[in-house]
Amino acid sequence: MLRNLASGFRVLLGKKQLDRELEEELRGYMAMAVEEKIQLGMTRSDAVRAVRWEQGNLEGAKEAVRDAGWESILETFWQDVRFALRMLRKNPGFTAVATLTLALGIGANTAIFSVVNAVLLRPLPYANPGQLVLVREAKQESAISGQGMSYPTFTELRDHNRSFTAIAGLGVHSLVLTGSGEPSEVSTVVVTPDFFAVFAAEPMLGRVFVSQDGERGAAPVVVLSENLWRSRFGADPQIVGRSIDLDMRPYTVIGVMPASFRTPFGNQVNQVWIPLAQDPLFSAWMTRPLREHWMAVIGRVRPGISSAQVQAELDTVSARFAKEFPAEKGWTVGTEPLRQTITGDVKLPLLLLLGSVALVLLITCANVANLLLSRATSRSKEIAIRIALGAGKSRIARQLLTECAILGLLGGLIGALVAYWGVATLAPLLPSSLPRFHPIRVDGSVLVFTLVLSFGASLIFGLAPVLSAAGSDPQTELGEGARAGESAGPRRARAFLAAGEIALALVLLTGAGLLTRSFAQLTAVDPGFEPNHIVKGMVSLPQFQYSTPKQWEHFSEELLTRLQAEPGMKDSAVAGPLPIMDCCITLAFQIVGNASLPPGSAENANYVPVSPGYFSVMGIPLLRGRLFDDSDSSSSPAVTVISEALAKRYFPHENPLGRHLTFGFPANGVSSRDIVGIVGDIHDVSLGKEPGPMLYVPFAQAPLYGAEVVVKSTLSASAVVGAIRSATHQIDKNLPVTDVASLPDALSASVAQPRFRTLLIALFGVLALILAAIGIFGVISYSVSRRTHELGIRMALGAQPGSVLSMILRETLALTLLGIAVGIPCALAAARLITHLLFKVKSYDPLTLVLVPLALLAVAILAGYIPALRATKVDPMVALRYQ
């Protein structure tokens, strides 16, 4: 083999000299053969003729010798490349159109693949990420799934399992960082000591938590993220051992985690990690009863343990819990791969985008294939001559595929540039909820995808001219019949491709139409409150400084008093959490006077403490009873206002006013509350979820250490925010006001993900429509140009322009209807795949299924009208001379 390789390289590097030597050698052999025949009695001329007859001519013998080596394949390929480049250079218009069309399709696919690759395909940035699972509880009979665990349940599982090498719990909230600059909130991940061991993560400075850090009474310690260390502490290398203030309490920095480490959940910017026992909020939940399922738990499965073995052990644990603790009856413990937990919500929408953009590429390939078929028809004589001169069809197919591959590579090269631009444009539009463990960019793996896509596309659109060339007959192409016009085969192929484009465009446009109608329905939902002219801002009180509910109540009263004294700020209130923007606090409650529920069962409702002006500011209507007022203080009888949904669900045949409910937030304790009013329903979780039961309590009777300030004002948002900050800092200059936004903007942000996918798929749909129109236009235009002679005869025989126009339009109509007929079943099948992404729109929505084909029909007729109009202006005298 090495000898063959060396011989081949010697031939490639010394081709001219070896050619001369080969020619001399072959001439010598032929001369010897001639002399032998002369000695047998032939004349010289007869001997030369006989040798040529037996051995062929000199060039043929040289070609046969060259073909014997591997280097001939490389040489032939290089010849094909040079010939292809010459042919493409000779047709700059065709080359430019085909290349740019491909670049558009490949670039769009590359840009979307960059997102899919970063979010779905690349592994989570942890050691052996396949071993990481989310351990969660569920209660099937109450339709509760994916719930966290109580702390006692977690400790039982942590201390008595054989399936996990490490298991840790976490919760996320914010603490106020003071000192070293302006006060600010930092995203605080509250963890059990084994948290970093679960991820096998090492700090870049200092150490991580040990078991002693998680004990009650231990010194408060904190681990900083690299981003916070650099931005807030100037990358101080002596930071380990220093003290920082979180919520006005000193914590000792024991380590800094590199920026590459990310907590699976929560805000990744400016993170700190503290032990659960040192947290002012969640440490109180360490002693909460089992029924409080609040803690997210992540475990690392031991190597060699299957998921079935893990589940078997967890089933045993669940059964033991149910036996030992009645409150756990009905709850089961299960696991889910951590990747699935993180990417589960975005997987289908991203794959939907990738599938949509793949359809655009298919339409692009069909368009280029149509261009190549037209070009192959014009090159039919050239190909026929080459076949007649002895070129094999496989050799011609190889040469045509080389041209297509070069076109594909050019398209891929420009497409990569389009993708760079596309990713830079897409990045700011991506929803903030999209997991970003890896940067979204065009990297090496994405470029490999682009290269493979370019060659794949080349093969797809290259098949058409290759199959056309394979059916070429030199006698037909070079004879008189070639003048009559286009043969039926290529014409049918182009019509088939154009119909395919229509069908693909119909699929894409139907999906875009359904998602657009769904998004319109979603944004048309009445949230149950009036968000216009409302600005919100979050004020969190440091819990070690403001440690008692009395302090929280006093602060909120003073803040509202100062705020309402400002001009234009009278309509203001505090509450927490706000609907949709902050999601919800769900609490179990019991109706006083009703029979006790079985162990493990409870009624649930979302809970919101509000100040008296909240309902007025938010525009939530009172239906019965009364709202809260200043008389509902901490010393007055406990009261509650419920939503209409709660009243209908739990008091279907009675008046709930005057009944009592028992419930309470952990920080305030459980109490019995008199129902004094019923208000309208609101969408508390999201616009896409039906309003659920709500419990409102007076903020003075159940204050929180942090609350949202809401102000309804005709002043500008910046003026309102300035007033909130001014009033807050007048009370305490170290308190930051965060999460500032107008409610319309916050509501708009809550639908960012459906808006993003709808926008992109609608964009792809419009692109598909344009490409399909170009395809129809190209097919009809080329058909008219090839039928000029026929049209001239028709006009000469008396055909009227109107009849010619209708004839061409009928062909366009037939082509379009064929594509629509094929596309409708495909569109219905595709629509079923996105059913659960739709909101109040059925996958077989009649309006969409009627409008989309009509729109395609109108665009196709318009695309066919221009060449049809041109056909009516054919001059018979000129056409009859047309070749």
Side-chain angles (χ1 to χ4, degrees):
M1 179 181 287
L2 291 176
R3 189 179 300 166
N4 283 338
L5 285 174
S7 173
F9 281 120
R10 194 165 59 249
V11 170
L12 289 174
L13 296 175
K15 187 172 184 302
K16 289 184 178 177
Q17 182 181 347
L18 289 175
D19 266 357
R20 282 197 301 272
E21 292 175 358
L22 177 61
E23 185 171 342
E24 289 173 4
E25 187 179 351
L26 290 175
R27 284 185 184 281
Y29 282 131
M30 295 180 87
M32 289 171 62
V34 169
E35 290 301 326
E36 286 178 1
K37 292 189 181 297
I38 291 174
Q39 288 176 7
L40 292 175
M42 286 186 179
T43 63
R44 175 166 292 279
S45 58
D46 288 342
V48 170
R49 191 180 304 114
V51 169
R52 285 181 176 172
W53 178 259
E54 292 173 358
Q55 301 184 7
N57 60 32
L58 183 62
E59 290 302 321
K62 286 166 65 177
E63 194 68 29
V65 172
R66 289 193 197 106
D67 287 347
W70 64 266
E71 68 279 1
S72 66
I73 299 174
L74 194 61
E75 194 175 351
T76 306
F77 171 71
W78 179 236
Q79 286 176 356
D80 287 345
V81 170
R82 285 185 298 175
F83 182 75
L85 288 173
R86 277 202 306 273
M87 294 304 293
L88 294 176
R89 197 167 55 240
K90 280 177 62 179
N91 298 278
F94 162 80
T95 305
V97 170
T99 302
L100 291 177
T101 304
L102 284 172
L104 197 60
I106 293 173
N109 274 267
T110 303
I112 296 299
F113 180 78
S114 300
V115 181
V116 173
N117 181 50
V119 177
L120 297 183
L121 301 184
R122 296 187 64 182
L124 296 178
Y126 308 117
N128 299 315
Q131 297 174 348
L132 296 173
V133 295
L134 179 76
V135 186
R136 58 186 187 176
E137 287 195 287
K139 190 174 186 181
Q140 191 173 4
E141 61 194 54
S142 301
I144 300 174
S145 61
Q147 201 79 352
M149 302 180 79
S150 66
Y151 185 75
T153 307
F154 162 74
T155 55
E156 281 286 317
L157 184 62
R158 181 194 60 191
D159 299 337
H160 302 94
N161 82 84
R162 296 188 299 274
S163 298
F164 302 100
T165 56
I167 188 167
L170 70 152
V172 181
H173 68 123
S174 297
L175 293 178
V176 177
L177 174 63
T178 50
S180 304
E182 288 293 319
S184 63
E185 277 193 347
V186 291
S187 175
T188 305
V189 187
V190 182
V191 300
T192 56
D194 285 339
F195 175 77
F196 293 104
V198 167
F199 295 100
E202 296 293 334
M204 59 183 292
L205 287 177
R207 65 173 178 87
V208 293
F209 302 127
V210 295
S211 57
Q212 290 79 7
D213 296 322
E215 296 176 356
R216 286 188 179 276
V221 291
V222 62
V223 174
L224 306 181
S225 65
E226 183 181 348
N227 287 338
L228 185 65
W229 173 59
R230 292 188 181 282
S231 62
R232 189 63 182 255
F233 302 100
D236 179 7
Q238 306 302 319
I239 189 70
V240 175
R242 273 184 56 183
S243 178
I244 65 172
D245 290 338
L246 295 174
D247 266 23
M248 296 296 180
R249 185 190 191 195
Y251 283 74
T252 302
V253 177
I254 61 170
V256 178
M257 293 303 294
S260 57
F261 177 77
R262 288 169 171 259
T263 304
F265 319 110
N267 183 1
Q268 303 292 337
V269 180
N270 294 337
Q271 273 191 343
V272 298
W273 294 266
I274 63 173
L276 173 61
Q278 307 300 332
D279 184 64
L281 174 64
F282 288 119
S283 60
W285 293 57
M286 293 173 71
T287 56
R288 298 302 302 170
L290 288 167
R291 61 189 174 90
E292 303 289 355
H293 298 261
W294 64 274
M295 177 187 278
V297 176
I298 298 172
R300 178 176 287 276
V301 178
R302 290 183 187 280
I305 301 290
S306 68
S307 56
Q309 289 173 302
V310 174
Q311 189 56 54
E313 182 176 28
L314 293 178
D315 288 343
T316 304
V317 171
S318 302
R320 191 174 75 240
F321 285 166
K323 188 175 180 181
E324 295 178 4
F325 309 106
E328 285 292 286
K329 188 177 180 181
W331 288 89
T332 58
V333 185
T335 62
E336 180 183 66
L338 188 59
R339 166 180 281 279
Q340 175 65 25
T341 306
I342 294 172
T343 62
D345 290 342
V346 299
K347 188 173 182 179
L348 182 61
L350 284 181
L351 292 180
L352 175 66
L353 285 178
L354 193 61
S356 301
V357 80
L359 289 182
V360 172
L361 182 62
L362 280 178
I363 297 174
T364 301
C365 288
N367 257 342
V368 176
N370 246 331
L371 287 173
L372 286 169
L373 267 179
S374 303
R375 188 162 169 264
T377 303
S378 63
R379 291 176 64 186
S380 58
K381 285 190 177 179
E382 171 210 328
I383 292 172
I385 291 171
R386 291 172 64 186
I387 293 174
L389 290 176
K393 290 189 176 179
S394 62
R395 180 75 177 81
I396 290 181
R398 195 168 61 191
Q399 197 271 317
L400 289 174
L401 283 177
T402 303
E403 286 185 33
C404 294
I406 290 175
L407 268 180
L409 281 177
L410 288 173
L413 184 64
I414 301 176
L417 299 177
V418 172
Y420 272 108
W421 173 82
V423 168
T425 306
L426 276 180
L429 302 176
L430 291 171
S432 59
S433 58
L434 195 71
R436 299 192 192 194
F437 286 86
H438 301 285
I440 297 172
R441 64 188 180 195
V442 180
D443 56 15
S445 58
V446 174
L447 288 177
V448 169
F449 169 81
T450 307
L451 185 65
V452 172
L453 194 65
S454 302
F455 279 117
S458 305
L459 283 177
I460 293 173
F461 65 73
L463 279 178
V466 168
L467 293 175
S468 175
S472 176
D473 182 359
Q475 289 187 349
T476 304
E477 296 295 341
L478 299 176
E480 286 297 316
R483 298 176 55 195
E486 183 185 18
S487 60
R491 189 167 64 241
R492 280 198 297 268
R494 277 200 299 278
F496 171 78
L497 287 171
E501 289 182 54
I502 292 285
L504 291 172
L506 181 71
V507 173
L508 206 45
L509 283 170
T510 301
L514 290 173
L515 288 175
T516 302
R517 276 183 46 75
S518 170
F519 184 69
Q521 293 278 0
L522 182 64
T523 52
V525 168
D526 180 3
F529 54 90
E530 177 49 61
N532 292 332
H533 307 296
I534 296 180
V535 176
K536 76 175 187 76
M538 178 78 183
V539 180
S540 269
L541 301 177
Q543 293 176 64
F544 295 107
Q545 182 183 2
Y546 298 85
S547 57
T548 65
K550 196 68 183 173
Q551 289 176 295
W552 307 342
E553 178 194 352
H554 176 72
F555 180 88
S556 66
E557 286 178 355
E558 188 172 351
L559 176 62
L560 284 180
T561 301
R562 290 176 182 272
L563 202 55
Q564 289 171 351
E566 297 285 335
M569 306 291 286
K570 186 166 181 57
D571 291 331
S572 55
V574 295
L578 291 182
I580 298 177
M581 281 74 80
D582 301 326
C583 190
C584 43
I585 298 173
T586 303
L587 291 183
F589 68 90
Q590 289 190 335
I591 304 172
V592 177
N594 285 8
S596 298
L597 296 172
S601 301
E603 312 294 3
N604 294 288
N606 289 348
Y607 165 89
V608 190
V610 300
S611 66
Y614 175 78
F615 298 105
S616 169
V617 171
M618 297 291 285
I620 300 174
L622 173 68
L623 303 182
R624 277 184 283 173
R626 69 171 179 88
L627 298 175
F628 303 134
D629 55 35
D630 292 335
S631 66
D632 297 312
S633 64
S634 56
S635 58
S636 64
V639 295
T640 182
V641 167
I642 63 174
S643 67
E644 186 179 18
L646 192 148
K648 286 181 177 176
R649 181 179 300 182
Y650 298 107
F651 303 95
H653 305 298
E654 60 180 314
N655 183 2
L657 298 179
R659 295 293 302 271
H660 284 74
L661 303 178
T662 303
F663 62 93
F665 191 66
N668 310 114
V670 176
S671 59
S672 176
R673 293 181 177 274
D674 181 15
I675 301 175
V676 297
I678 303 172
V679 294
D681 290 330
I682 62 165
H683 289 259
D684 194 40
V685 178
S686 69
L687 290 174
K689 288 194 173 181
E690 289 298 319
M694 298 288 300
L695 291 167
Y696 300 94
V697 298
F699 197 88
Q701 294 183 354
L704 297 174
Y705 67 92
E708 296 273 14
V709 180
V710 287
V711 179
K712 188 165 194 173
S713 174
T714 54
L715 299 176
S716 67
S718 58
V720 173
V721 172
I724 296 174
R725 286 206 168 99
S726 172
T728 303
H729 292 164
Q730 286 172 18
I731 304 170
D732 189 334
K733 65 177 181 180
N734 287 324
L735 294 180
V737 178
T738 58
D739 295 337
V740 174
S742 70
L743 249 58
D745 289 344
L747 272 182
S748 176
S750 73
V751 294
Q753 195 175 114
R755 179 173 53 235
F756 176 73
R757 66 172 177 250
T758 303
L759 177 69
L760 278 190
I761 292 181
L763 182 66
F764 296 150
V766 171
L767 192 59
L769 185 64
I770 294 172
L771 288 172
I774 292 173
I776 291 284
F777 176 79
V779 167
I780 301 300
S781 291
Y782 191 77
S783 176
V784 168
S785 69
R786 296 294 293 181
R787 294 167 62 190
T788 304
H789 190 76
E790 173 203 333
L791 293 173
I793 293 174
R794 286 176 181 269
M795 301 287 278
L797 293 176
Q800 296 299 311
S803 62
V804 172
L805 182 74
S806 62
M807 179 185 72
I808 300 297
L809 287 181
R810 278 199 304 274
E811 291 178 10
T812 305
L813 188 62
L815 205 61
T816 308
L817 289 177
L818 175 63
I820 290 174
V822 174
I824 283 180
C826 300
L828 288 174
R832 293 191 63 182
L833 296 176
I834 61 172
T835 300
H836 86 278
L837 296 178
L838 302 178
F839 178 73
K840 292 187 177 179
V841 175
K842 294 179 180 177
S843 57
Y844 46 87
D845 177 48
L847 185 62
T848 304
L849 293 176
V850 169
L851 287 183
V852 168
L854 286 178
L856 264 173
L857 201 59
V859 170
I861 294 294
L862 187 63
Y865 180 76
I866 299 172
L869 192 63
R870 197 165 61 234
T872 63
K873 297 181 179 173
V874 168
D875 184 342
M877 297 300 293
V878 176
L880 291 175
R881 293 197 297 270
Y882 179 76
Q883 298 293 321

